[in-house]
Structures are given as C-alpha cells and as structure tokens.
Amino acid sequence: NRATVKSQYFDVSEEFIVNDSGDQVCASATVVKYKDRTLRLTQTMQEDELAPLFCGGEWAGTRLWQAAATLMDYVVDNYNMQDKVVLELGAGLGAPGMVCAWLGAKKAILTDVEEVTGLLRRNAEDNADHGCFVVEPLWWNVEGAAKLFDDHKIDYAICCDCIFEPLYGDCWKQLSEVVTELVQKGVVCLVSVERRNHDGVDKFLADISGRCSTPASVVLDEVIEDSHIVLYEWRPETPVR
C-alpha cells in the first residue's frame, strides 16, 4: 500500500495491481482506516463503465483527493453526526459520506452522476456493515435536491473537490443552485475545494452570494503538502433540527 493524502485522523492508502515483475501497474482500491475500522473502496470499474471516463471528468471520482481527507478531519473535530442524515454531492468513491456514518450519522446518501454510481453502489454494498448507505444518481438540479430532502430530511450536505473548470466546466452553476436550495431548507452545507489556477471557485462564490441569503463562512484555509485546501460552510439560522 502507498499513502496518497495527508490526514490527522485517517490512514489513507492505495492498493496496487502488481505485474509479474513486481512493478505497480495501477491502483485497485483506496483503503481508509480510522481507529479499529477499515473501508476498502474499489477503484476497479466494469467494462461498460470505462468509456465515460475518457469524455469528461468522471475519472476524478475514482480516487480520494486531499480536499476530501481534509473535510473528513474537519468533521471529526467540529460536527456532531449522531443520528443525523448526511448527503454527499459528487461522492465518487463515497469515503466522506461513509466516514460520517462511522461518526454516528444514521444514514449517508451518496450521490453522483449516473456514470459512476455503479462503482459507488458496489463500494456501498461492500462496506454495508459500516453504516446505512443509500446510493442515488443525481445530476445537480434544484428539483433533484428538493426530492432528496423531502425523501430523507437531510441535516448536512457535503461536497469535496467538485469545482474545477478545466475538468468539470461550469457545473459550479448547478452546484450553486443545489446548495442554495438545501440551505433554504435548513441544511448545513460544507464544501471543500483545492484551490488551483482558473478553478472557477471565485465564480461559484460570487454566484451563490447572489442566490443564497446565508453567507459562506471560510472555516478552514491551509496548505497541506502542495495542496491549498479551503472549506466553505453555509449554516442556516434555522437548521432542519
């Protein structure tokens, strides 16, 4: 195994496929350890799931990024997840949402675009003994977010490293709409990003400030190794509960 990201509380590493010569060929799984618990999240996709990876940003959902590990650490220190319902937007492998279940959440709703929900669903099933996980496909839109809230009465929504214009285009516009809808319904929203050149994060913040009456708070801003990670939080005056 090889460590991939820095974390205060979690041991995160990758398992690799090794060829006959003993060389590491490619990553096969991400392993997340916390106290006496272990998540093993496969990165291996089925044949019919591979094609979309080469025509968009879906490939980014097959690994765990520093922004996700940092959010996980922040949740440990600052959030009481006991008996809460958590929604993860752009879940990828699903690690942050599953970690929230470790921390006491009674349900984690893991969402992503249809192309990667097969991988997400397998990871949820393989780790089902760690909590209650619900996998839902979600293209970011107000109607979809409202339906998830009505169905599950969400307390917290989290999103990790899903804003980067060179890879995802201007999908930050849809994320702005979804976060605004959830905050207006009383959901506490936490968005973690890695700041990069031309990332589109400032556009996202400007857009959401014009939509959402609850201002964003910068709750963390630090450089970890070579990654500049910032966490933004929207905390409604009247939370869901």
Side-chain angles (χ1 to χ4, degrees):
N1 289 19
R2 186 178 69 190
T4 54
V5 296
K6 297 294 183 181
S7 170
Q8 181 178 354
Y9 297 110
F10 301 91
D11 177 9
V12 181
S13 61
E14 286 185 331
E15 294 178 352
F16 282 81
I17 296 172
V18 178
N19 64 19
D20 293 339
S21 301
D23 299 320
Q24 293 179 339
V25 179
C26 64
S28 60
T30 294
V31 179
V32 181
K33 296 182 179 181
Y34 176 68
K35 296 183 178 179
D36 60 345
R37 299 184 175 188
T38 301
L39 291 172
R40 186 182 183 279
L41 306 170
T42 181
Q43 297 171 244
T44 304
M45 306 190 78
Q46 304 297 326
E47 184 176 352
D48 60 352
E49 297 170 336
L50 292 174
L53 299 187
F54 299 98
C55 61
E58 284 78 7
W59 66 268
T62 64
R63 63 168 295 184
L64 191 144
W65 301 89
Q66 184 62 56
T70 302
L71 179 142
M72 286 154 44
D73 283 344
Y74 184 84
V75 168
V76 171
D77 282 333
N78 296 280
Y79 279 35
N80 177 10
M81 286 289 170
Q82 195 63 42
D83 296 325
K84 302 299 185 184
V85 177
V86 179
L87 167 67
E88 184 174 4
L89 301 167
L93 296 176
M98 293 182 189
V99 162
C100 289
W102 275 354
L103 300 175
K106 66 180 180 182
K107 187 192 317 184
I109 303 135
L110 311 173
T111 67
D112 212 318
V113 295
E114 183 72 42
E115 287 81 359
V116 297
T117 52
L119 181 65
L120 183 56
R121 187 168 285 106
R122 289 195 295 280
N123 281 325
E125 292 170 352
D126 290 346
N127 294 278
D129 57 334
H130 291 291
C132 177
F133 308 130
V134 178
V135 176
E136 298 275 5
L138 177 66
W139 287 98
W140 290 339
N141 59 77
V142 169
E143 294 76 14
K147 185 177 187 306
L148 284 173
F149 178 84
D150 292 341
D151 289 346
H152 300 285
K153 297 300 181 284
I154 298 158
D155 298 288
Y156 293 110
I158 58 176
C159 180
C160 303
D161 215 3
C162 290
I163 305 172
F164 185 46
E165 279 195 334
L167 187 60
Y168 302 120
D170 62 1
C171 70
W172 53 262
K173 295 179 181 178
Q174 289 74 43
L175 181 60
S176 172
E177 294 173 356
V178 167
V179 171
T180 299
E181 175 70 14
L182 293 171
V183 171
Q184 289 175 344
K185 290 182 177 295
V187 178
V188 176
C189 293
L190 185 64
V191 174
S192 178
V193 298
E194 179 174 344
R195 295 308 311 258
R196 307 173 177 95
N197 291 333
H198 312 295
D199 54 21
V201 172
D202 291 336
K203 296 178 185 178
F204 164 74
L205 294 171
D207 186 81
I208 199 168
S209 68
R211 298 177 184 273
C212 187
S213 59
T214 300
S217 298
V218 176
V219 294
L220 182 144
D221 185 342
E222 63 181 70
V223 176
I224 303 170
E225 297 291 305
D226 295 326
S227 301
H228 179 195
I229 307 298
V230 185
L231 270 63
Y232 301 96
E233 182 187 69
W234 290 261
R235 185 170 288 272
E237 291 184 7
T238 307
V240 174
R241 56 194 176 95

